Amino acid sequence: MESSSKLSRRSFIRNGVLGAGALTLGSTLSAIAGFSGSTKKKLGIALVGLGGYSKGQLAPALQQTQNCYLAGIVTGTPQKAVDWAKQYNIPKQNIYNYQNFDSIANNPDIDIVYIVLPVFLHKEYTIRAAKAGKHVICEKPMALNAKDCEEMIAACKKANRMLSIGYRLHFEPHTIEVMRLGQQKVFGKLTGMDNGNGFTYNGDPNAWRLKKALGGGGGLMDMGIYAIQGARYSTGMEPIAVRATQEKTRPDFFKEVDETVFWELEFPGGLKTKGKSSYNNNWGYLKAKAEHGEFELEPAYGYGPILGKSSKGVIDYPQINQQAAQMDDFAKCVAANKPTRVPGEEGLKDMRVVDAIYRSLDSGKWEKIG
Ligand code: NAD
């Protein structure tokens, strides 16, 4: 039986400012103290899946973060566990594989689990992490389809855990300026927009990105999601309908998934924007026209530099480590029990657009979104 002091402390935490942090009490409490006081403690992040993005971007970014640190790893490859433990000084008890992952529930060092797996595993590991009492960051695209996104959001809500999507650009200064220019109608109402994102895929033909069941789709899921985001965050509106076409110049290579997709989004009030995605073209731009001016970013979606200009001149801000800013912000939100600006709902909205684009590719018609 618990002592009354323990109970009251716990109910204070459940009902009070800490709320969602209750299950990882020790570390969250000291983090709170740290964020507002002198004994600063960073929240612990465990990366799940040590592939290209974890190795190349997230682990290095976690060497620069102020509010969180690389506390643990989850990997199916024993040699990676050895190498990462050595490189990043990760204690043995914070190293998991996919079989014993659920026992992470008992580890107070891990506050946040970051899912960096192929898309078909996002739902399963997000739900398992939430059930283990951890807050979750899940990489983009959030899941195979909107229905799975809804299940992930519901599971995190039920477990009283915060869920965020790895939308690093929401923390990038040039992108934030473009959001302001569009959403606050600095040049008047938007009259048109064009967003494109893609790269020329020449990698392993057996990779998960080329299998529909594993990636959910091709260039649209992987790269197009940024162009959809670009349209949504520049307009500050949710699109209501979409019409799409596609092109395949290498059908032997892109057997199961889309190569290049073109779409038109319709927004409330009648604005139409263009978008495109590709695994066969190097694109990365956002261009907006408004009643009294225009603005653009190019490159718009990479890790940096992000460059931009508007009718008023160069959009000039510092280049930052986007991933470090993104993870630091989420750790701050968790510690303060404040909503993240990129919650699961943000991923869900994009996946509703993606689902409608695939429906339109099948029907050849305008399809409603949602
Ligand atoms: P990757 O293929 O390099 O790494 C995937 C990892 O998952 C590998 O370590 C692999 O061993 C592991 N894995 C575990 N179970 C697996 C299984 N059953 N099948 C295949 N792999 C399995 O991929 P990545 O480029 O690191 O991408 C991972 C996620 O990160 C994807 O959702 C991707 O869209 C996202 N991503 C995001 C960004 C960004 O800028 N936000 C950039 C790159 C990747």
PDB file of all heavy atoms in Angstrom, residues 303-327:
ATOM      1  N   TYR A 303      17.784  19.860 -44.827  1.00  0.00           N
ATOM      2  CA  TYR A 303      18.315  20.083 -43.474  1.00  0.00           C
ATOM      3  C   TYR A 303      18.987  21.454 -43.363  1.00  0.00           C
ATOM      4  O   TYR A 303      19.374  21.886 -42.305  1.00  0.00           O
ATOM      5  CB  TYR A 303      19.346  19.006 -43.115  1.00  0.00           C
ATOM      6  CG  TYR A 303      18.847  17.594 -43.272  1.00  0.00           C
ATOM      7  CD1 TYR A 303      19.703  16.581 -43.694  1.00  0.00           C
ATOM      8  CD2 TYR A 303      17.524  17.256 -42.980  1.00  0.00           C
ATOM      9  CE1 TYR A 303      19.258  15.283 -43.837  1.00  0.00           C
ATOM     10  CE2 TYR A 303      17.072  15.965 -43.121  1.00  0.00           C
ATOM     11  CZ  TYR A 303      17.941  14.971 -43.556  1.00  0.00           C
ATOM     12  OH  TYR A 303      17.499  13.688 -43.693  1.00  0.00           O
ATOM     13  N   GLY A 304      19.175  22.118 -44.481  1.00  0.00           N
ATOM     14  CA  GLY A 304      19.782  23.444 -44.515  1.00  0.00           C
ATOM     15  C   GLY A 304      20.973  23.451 -45.460  1.00  0.00           C
ATOM     16  O   GLY A 304      21.521  22.395 -45.747  1.00  0.00           O
ATOM     17  N   PRO A 305      21.342  24.600 -45.997  1.00  0.00           N
ATOM     18  CA  PRO A 305      20.670  25.856 -45.717  1.00  0.00           C
ATOM     19  C   PRO A 305      19.292  25.947 -46.362  1.00  0.00           C
ATOM     20  O   PRO A 305      19.062  25.368 -47.410  1.00  0.00           O
ATOM     21  CB  PRO A 305      21.608  26.902 -46.332  1.00  0.00           C
ATOM     22  CG  PRO A 305      22.319  26.176 -47.434  1.00  0.00           C
ATOM     23  CD  PRO A 305      22.434  24.755 -46.981  1.00  0.00           C
ATOM     24  N   ILE A 306      18.401  26.674 -45.704  1.00  0.00           N
ATOM     25  CA  ILE A 306      17.105  27.035 -46.271  1.00  0.00           C
ATOM     26  C   ILE A 306      17.251  28.502 -46.704  1.00  0.00           C
ATOM     27  O   ILE A 306      17.703  29.333 -45.916  1.00  0.00           O
ATOM     28  CB  ILE A 306      15.967  26.916 -45.217  1.00  0.00           C
ATOM     29  CG1 ILE A 306      15.917  25.505 -44.607  1.00  0.00           C
ATOM     30  CG2 ILE A 306      14.622  27.320 -45.812  1.00  0.00           C
ATOM     31  CD1 ILE A 306      15.440  24.399 -45.506  1.00  0.00           C
ATOM     32  N   LEU A 307      16.916  28.778 -47.955  1.00  0.00           N
ATOM     33  CA  LEU A 307      17.114  30.128 -48.495  1.00  0.00           C
ATOM     34  C   LEU A 307      15.792  30.670 -49.011  1.00  0.00           C
ATOM     35  O   LEU A 307      14.991  29.912 -49.573  1.00  0.00           O
ATOM     36  CB  LEU A 307      18.147  30.090 -49.631  1.00  0.00           C
ATOM     37  CG  LEU A 307      19.527  29.518 -49.259  1.00  0.00           C
ATOM     38  CD1 LEU A 307      20.417  29.380 -50.496  1.00  0.00           C
ATOM     39  CD2 LEU A 307      20.212  30.381 -48.199  1.00  0.00           C
ATOM     40  N   GLY A 308      15.588  31.983 -48.856  1.00  0.00           N
ATOM     41  CA  GLY A 308      14.313  32.529 -49.307  1.00  0.00           C
ATOM     42  C   GLY A 308      14.380  33.988 -49.679  1.00  0.00           C
ATOM     43  O   GLY A 308      15.335  34.698 -49.349  1.00  0.00           O
ATOM     44  N   LYS A 309      13.362  34.421 -50.425  1.00  0.00           N
ATOM     45  CA  LYS A 309      13.230  35.860 -50.722  1.00  0.00           C
ATOM     46  C   LYS A 309      11.745  36.191 -50.874  1.00  0.00           C
ATOM     47  O   LYS A 309      10.919  35.301 -51.141  1.00  0.00           O
ATOM     48  CB  LYS A 309      14.012  36.226 -51.973  1.00  0.00           C
ATOM     49  CG  LYS A 309      13.600  35.502 -53.218  1.00  0.00           C
ATOM     50  CD  LYS A 309      14.513  35.876 -54.378  1.00  0.00           C
ATOM     51  CE  LYS A 309      14.049  35.154 -55.624  1.00  0.00           C
ATOM     52  NZ  LYS A 309      14.945  35.112 -56.714  1.00  0.00           N
ATOM     53  N   SER A 310      11.458  37.468 -50.720  1.00  0.00           N
ATOM     54  CA  SER A 310      10.087  37.941 -50.915  1.00  0.00           C
ATOM     55  C   SER A 310      10.151  39.229 -51.719  1.00  0.00           C
ATOM     56  O   SER A 310      11.251  39.707 -52.036  1.00  0.00           O
ATOM     57  CB  SER A 310       9.413  38.205 -49.565  1.00  0.00           C
ATOM     58  OG  SER A 310       9.865  39.436 -49.050  1.00  0.00           O
ATOM     59  N   SER A 311       9.004  39.813 -52.016  1.00  0.00           N
ATOM     60  CA  SER A 311       8.970  41.091 -52.741  1.00  0.00           C
ATOM     61  C   SER A 311       9.726  42.171 -51.979  1.00  0.00           C
ATOM     62  O   SER A 311      10.099  43.189 -52.543  1.00  0.00           O
ATOM     63  CB  SER A 311       7.524  41.533 -52.944  1.00  0.00           C
ATOM     64  OG  SER A 311       6.851  40.550 -53.673  1.00  0.00           O
ATOM     65  N   LYS A 312       9.933  41.963 -50.689  1.00  0.00           N
ATOM     66  CA  LYS A 312      10.660  42.960 -49.877  1.00  0.00           C
ATOM     67  C   LYS A 312      12.156  42.689 -49.834  1.00  0.00           C
ATOM     68  O   LYS A 312      12.909  43.450 -49.230  1.00  0.00           O
ATOM     69  CB  LYS A 312      10.106  42.958 -48.454  1.00  0.00           C
ATOM     70  CG  LYS A 312       8.776  43.655 -48.331  1.00  0.00           C
ATOM     71  CD  LYS A 312       8.429  43.867 -46.861  1.00  0.00           C
ATOM     72  CE  LYS A 312       7.062  44.481 -46.710  1.00  0.00           C
ATOM     73  NZ  LYS A 312       6.381  44.039 -45.495  1.00  0.00           N
ATOM     74  N   GLY A 313      12.618  41.593 -50.418  1.00  0.00           N
ATOM     75  CA  GLY A 313      14.057  41.295 -50.417  1.00  0.00           C
ATOM     76  C   GLY A 313      14.358  39.910 -49.875  1.00  0.00           C
ATOM     77  O   GLY A 313      13.463  39.065 -49.748  1.00  0.00           O
ATOM     78  N   VAL A 314      15.636  39.718 -49.514  1.00  0.00           N
ATOM     79  CA  VAL A 314      16.078  38.393 -49.043  1.00  0.00           C
ATOM     80  C   VAL A 314      15.448  38.092 -47.677  1.00  0.00           C
ATOM     81  O   VAL A 314      15.367  38.971 -46.818  1.00  0.00           O
ATOM     82  CB  VAL A 314      17.619  38.373 -48.921  1.00  0.00           C
ATOM     83  CG1 VAL A 314      18.102  37.043 -48.357  1.00  0.00           C
ATOM     84  CG2 VAL A 314      18.256  38.628 -50.281  1.00  0.00           C
ATOM     85  N   ILE A 315      14.990  36.861 -47.518  1.00  0.00           N
ATOM     86  CA  ILE A 315      14.530  36.410 -46.194  1.00  0.00           C
ATOM     87  C   ILE A 315      15.778  35.898 -45.491  1.00  0.00           C
ATOM     88  O   ILE A 315      16.306  34.846 -45.848  1.00  0.00           O
ATOM     89  CB  ILE A 315      13.455  35.301 -46.320  1.00  0.00           C
ATOM     90  CG1 ILE A 315      12.226  35.841 -47.061  1.00  0.00           C
ATOM     91  CG2 ILE A 315      13.069  34.761 -44.948  1.00  0.00           C
ATOM     92  CD1 ILE A 315      11.134  34.790 -47.327  1.00  0.00           C
ATOM     93  N   ASP A 316      16.260  36.671 -44.542  1.00  0.00           N
ATOM     94  CA  ASP A 316      17.599  36.430 -44.012  1.00  0.00           C
ATOM     95  C   ASP A 316      17.554  36.113 -42.519  1.00  0.00           C
ATOM     96  O   ASP A 316      17.353  37.007 -41.699  1.00  0.00           O
ATOM     97  CB  ASP A 316      18.454  37.679 -44.278  1.00  0.00           C
ATOM     98  CG  ASP A 316      19.914  37.420 -43.951  1.00  0.00           C
ATOM     99  OD1 ASP A 316      20.291  36.242 -43.799  1.00  0.00           O
ATOM    100  OD2 ASP A 316      20.670  38.405 -43.824  1.00  0.00           O
ATOM    101  N   TYR A 317      17.732  34.864 -42.190  1.00  0.00           N
ATOM    102  CA  TYR A 317      17.758  34.433 -40.790  1.00  0.00           C
ATOM    103  C   TYR A 317      18.928  33.471 -40.604  1.00  0.00           C
ATOM    104  O   TYR A 317      19.430  32.910 -41.581  1.00  0.00           O
ATOM    105  CB  TYR A 317      16.439  33.724 -40.423  1.00  0.00           C
ATOM    106  CG  TYR A 317      15.275  34.676 -40.329  1.00  0.00           C
ATOM    107  CD1 TYR A 317      14.438  34.886 -41.412  1.00  0.00           C
ATOM    108  CD2 TYR A 317      15.046  35.390 -39.161  1.00  0.00           C
ATOM    109  CE1 TYR A 317      13.373  35.778 -41.335  1.00  0.00           C
ATOM    110  CE2 TYR A 317      13.992  36.291 -39.073  1.00  0.00           C
ATOM    111  CZ  TYR A 317      13.162  36.474 -40.158  1.00  0.00           C
ATOM    112  OH  TYR A 317      12.138  37.359 -40.067  1.00  0.00           O
ATOM    113  N   PRO A 318      19.311  33.216 -39.361  1.00  0.00           N
ATOM    114  CA  PRO A 318      20.395  32.257 -39.142  1.00  0.00           C
ATOM    115  C   PRO A 318      19.985  30.844 -39.578  1.00  0.00           C
ATOM    116  O   PRO A 318      18.808  30.494 -39.511  1.00  0.00           O
ATOM    117  CB  PRO A 318      20.609  32.289 -37.625  1.00  0.00           C
ATOM    118  CG  PRO A 318      19.866  33.450 -37.116  1.00  0.00           C
ATOM    119  CD  PRO A 318      18.818  33.809 -38.110  1.00  0.00           C
ATOM    120  N   GLN A 319      20.951  30.079 -40.038  1.00  0.00           N
ATOM    121  CA  GLN A 319      20.716  28.659 -40.310  1.00  0.00           C
ATOM    122  C   GLN A 319      20.906  27.930 -38.978  1.00  0.00           C
ATOM    123  O   GLN A 319      21.858  28.211 -38.255  1.00  0.00           O
ATOM    124  CB  GLN A 319      21.719  28.128 -41.347  1.00  0.00           C
ATOM    125  CG  GLN A 319      21.688  28.864 -42.663  1.00  0.00           C
ATOM    126  CD  GLN A 319      20.371  28.674 -43.436  1.00  0.00           C
ATOM    127  OE1 GLN A 319      19.664  27.685 -43.257  1.00  0.00           O
ATOM    128  NE2 GLN A 319      20.054  29.635 -44.306  1.00  0.00           N
ATOM    129  N   ILE A 320      19.992  27.028 -38.666  1.00  0.00           N
ATOM    130  CA  ILE A 320      20.087  26.337 -37.367  1.00  0.00           C
ATOM    131  C   ILE A 320      20.109  24.833 -37.564  1.00  0.00           C
ATOM    132  O   ILE A 320      19.812  24.345 -38.652  1.00  0.00           O
ATOM    133  CB  ILE A 320      18.892  26.693 -36.450  1.00  0.00           C
ATOM    134  CG1 ILE A 320      17.562  26.221 -37.094  1.00  0.00           C
ATOM    135  CG2 ILE A 320      18.849  28.189 -36.144  1.00  0.00           C
ATOM    136  CD1 ILE A 320      16.452  26.018 -36.098  1.00  0.00           C
ATOM    137  N   ASN A 321      20.422  24.103 -36.502  1.00  0.00           N
ATOM    138  CA  ASN A 321      20.242  22.650 -36.537  1.00  0.00           C
ATOM    139  C   ASN A 321      18.756  22.380 -36.250  1.00  0.00           C
ATOM    140  O   ASN A 321      18.290  22.513 -35.117  1.00  0.00           O
ATOM    141  CB  ASN A 321      21.128  21.968 -35.490  1.00  0.00           C
ATOM    142  CG  ASN A 321      21.024  20.454 -35.587  1.00  0.00           C
ATOM    143  OD1 ASN A 321      19.937  19.880 -35.618  1.00  0.00           O
ATOM    144  ND2 ASN A 321      22.158  19.800 -35.655  1.00  0.00           N
ATOM    145  N   GLN A 322      18.027  22.042 -37.293  1.00  0.00           N
ATOM    146  CA  GLN A 322      16.567  21.914 -37.183  1.00  0.00           C
ATOM    147  C   GLN A 322      16.167  20.808 -36.210  1.00  0.00           C
ATOM    148  O   GLN A 322      15.217  20.953 -35.434  1.00  0.00           O
ATOM    149  CB  GLN A 322      15.972  21.604 -38.551  1.00  0.00           C
ATOM    150  CG  GLN A 322      16.225  22.675 -39.588  1.00  0.00           C
ATOM    151  CD  GLN A 322      15.853  22.192 -40.972  1.00  0.00           C
ATOM    152  OE1 GLN A 322      15.078  21.258 -41.144  1.00  0.00           O
ATOM    153  NE2 GLN A 322      16.405  22.822 -41.985  1.00  0.00           N
ATOM    154  N   GLN A 323      16.885  19.690 -36.290  1.00  0.00           N
ATOM    155  CA  GLN A 323      16.516  18.547 -35.441  1.00  0.00           C
ATOM    156  C   GLN A 323      16.746  18.863 -33.963  1.00  0.00           C
ATOM    157  O   GLN A 323      15.946  18.471 -33.100  1.00  0.00           O
ATOM    158  CB  GLN A 323      17.315  17.302 -35.853  1.00  0.00           C
ATOM    159  CG  GLN A 323      16.935  16.728 -37.204  1.00  0.00           C
ATOM    160  CD  GLN A 323      17.628  17.414 -38.383  1.00  0.00           C
ATOM    161  OE1 GLN A 323      18.414  18.340 -38.224  1.00  0.00           O
ATOM    162  NE2 GLN A 323      17.355  16.937 -39.592  1.00  0.00           N
ATOM    163  N   ALA A 324      17.832  19.574 -33.671  1.00  0.00           N
ATOM    164  CA  ALA A 324      18.106  19.947 -32.272  1.00  0.00           C
ATOM    165  C   ALA A 324      17.006  20.876 -31.763  1.00  0.00           C
ATOM    166  O   ALA A 324      16.484  20.701 -30.651  1.00  0.00           O
ATOM    167  CB  ALA A 324      19.475  20.610 -32.161  1.00  0.00           C
ATOM    168  N   ALA A 325      16.621  21.835 -32.601  1.00  0.00           N
ATOM    169  CA  ALA A 325      15.566  22.773 -32.193  1.00  0.00           C
ATOM    170  C   ALA A 325      14.247  22.034 -31.976  1.00  0.00           C
ATOM    171  O   ALA A 325      13.514  22.299 -31.020  1.00  0.00           O
ATOM    172  CB  ALA A 325      15.406  23.857 -33.251  1.00  0.00           C
ATOM    173  N   GLN A 326      13.949  21.112 -32.882  1.00  0.00           N
ATOM    174  CA  GLN A 326      12.698  20.337 -32.803  1.00  0.00           C
ATOM    175  C   GLN A 326      12.656  19.505 -31.512  1.00  0.00           C
ATOM    176  O   GLN A 326      11.664  19.527 -30.773  1.00  0.00           O
ATOM    177  CB  GLN A 326      12.613  19.430 -34.029  1.00  0.00           C
ATOM    178  CG  GLN A 326      11.503  18.407 -34.021  1.00  0.00           C
ATOM    179  CD  GLN A 326      11.912  17.120 -34.743  1.00  0.00           C
ATOM    180  OE1 GLN A 326      12.684  17.145 -35.701  1.00  0.00           O
ATOM    181  NE2 GLN A 326      11.407  16.010 -34.284  1.00  0.00           N
ATOM    182  N   MET A 327      13.729  18.783 -31.217  1.00  0.00           N
ATOM    183  CA  MET A 327      13.724  17.904 -30.040  1.00  0.00           C
ATOM    184  C   MET A 327      13.766  18.728 -28.748  1.00  0.00           C
ATOM    185  O   MET A 327      13.106  18.377 -27.768  1.00  0.00           O
ATOM    186  CB  MET A 327      14.884  16.907 -30.118  1.00  0.00           C
ATOM    187  CG  MET A 327      14.669  15.876 -31.218  1.00  0.00           C
ATOM    188  SD  MET A 327      15.910  14.556 -31.257  1.00  0.00           S
ATOM    189  CE  MET A 327      17.274  15.359 -32.071  1.00  0.00           C
TER     190      MET A 327
END
